[in-house]
Amino acid sequence: RRPPRCQGAPWPLPRSVRVRIHIRAVPLMTKNFLEATLGIRFTSSHHWDSHPLVGLSAFCFGVPACAFLAVVLCAFKVDDKPLSMWRVFMLAYYAFLAIAYFGAVLTCGLADYVYIRRSHRSFFGKIDIIWAAVVFFASNVNFALRNSLLETAALSGAAMCFFMYSGSSGSFSTWVLRHSLWHLAAGGIATYGALRTPPEGGKIAPHLPEVFGAMLATYVLAV
């Protein structure tokens, strides 16, 4: 049997070319990290839609951003001697995570409130999938560098459970409550991760609550 001709082309396309065209035609990043790795399919996409509560809950990701940044500011405030390379690396890592979580506020708000549409994943939804996966992975690695693998697995598992709980929503009202809860839980877990055995922990402990509180108050007033 002769291979099909491409419309407008005077000769049949080679099989390898047809395969590449087919692959490129498949929509990319339509599944989140858990769906892609575990082979499951969440039902929440059939019910999600824009809701103010979900949009407001996206600001929960700003809380761990403030925590990561507060640690960085406190560390540079109390240290009057050159930091070791490891401390510099960890503080730079903390600064990266602060920026990443502030970015998650934006990507999450756009994906889950502004551009969301039932049974459809928008361009910003696909961006949010990638951003969330990077932030999740980077947060786990950072926490594991400072704490036990068992505690890291526990926090990671708790976050995934909340996310799967949201993904299994069977109605719009259920999704609104569960996805808002997911944002709240993820922000809380990440904040705990930032404040648990931070770099220069013993030195910054007296100053951290005050700096974190000031940053959190500034963030709340700003938004």
Side-chain angles (χ1 to χ4, degrees):
R1 183 179 177 182
R2 292 173 60 83
R5 297 176 182 269
C6 179
Q7 185 176 3
W11 58 83
L13 291 174
R15 179 177 177 80
S16 60
V17 175
R18 285 185 276 121
V19 170
R20 287 198 297 269
I21 292 175
H22 174 72
I23 292 175
R24 290 176 181 177
V26 176
L28 299 177
M29 298 307 298
T30 58
K31 297 181 180 180
N32 58 55
F33 175 74
L34 289 181
E35 289 178 308
T37 55
L38 300 181
I40 59 178
R41 190 66 175 174
F42 290 153
T43 58
S44 57
S45 61
H46 302 296
H47 309 286
W48 65 32
D49 212 339
S50 181
H51 193 279
L53 182 60
V54 178
L56 287 174
S57 66
F59 288 107
C60 291
F61 290 111
V63 178
C66 291
F68 281 109
L69 192 55
V71 170
V72 175
L73 295 178
C74 286
F76 282 105
K77 178 180 179 180
V78 300
D79 271 304
D80 54 357
K81 60 181 180 180
L83 296 172
S84 66
M85 290 299 297
W86 176 251
R87 295 299 185 188
V88 171
F89 168 75
M90 288 301 297
L91 292 176
Y93 204 155
Y94 259 62
F96 164 75
L97 287 174
I99 297 172
Y101 275 101
F102 277 130
V105 176
L106 179 62
T107 60
C108 181
L110 292 174
D112 293 346
Y113 178 64
V114 179
Y115 291 101
I116 194 170
R117 184 157 49 92
R118 187 163 298 178
S119 300
H120 172 74
R121 193 181 297 279
S122 67
F123 168 77
F124 290 100
K126 297 171 185 178
I127 295 297
D128 185 53
I129 289 176
I130 300 172
W131 193 276
V134 171
V135 174
F136 178 75
F137 178 76
S139 298
N140 276 277
V141 172
N142 180 273
F143 190 82
L145 291 174
R146 298 177 285 111
N147 300 278
S148 69
L149 293 179
L150 180 61
E151 188 174 3
T152 303
L155 291 181
S156 180
M160 288 190 289
C161 285
F162 278 106
F163 186 73
M164 294 177 68
Y165 185 59
S166 169
S168 62
S169 301
S171 67
F172 173 62
S173 59
T174 302
W175 175 80
V176 169
L177 293 176
R178 291 185 181 183
H179 206 66
S180 300
L181 178 62
W182 148 245
H183 289 163
L184 179 63
I189 292 172
T191 302
Y192 172 84
L195 301 178
R196 168 80 167 141
T197 60
E200 306 295 326
K203 295 180 180 180
I204 68 175
H207 310 279
L208 187 55
E210 179 183 355
V211 176
F212 176 50
M215 294 205 62
L216 196 57
T218 303
Y219 172 68
V220 171
L221 292 175
V223 299

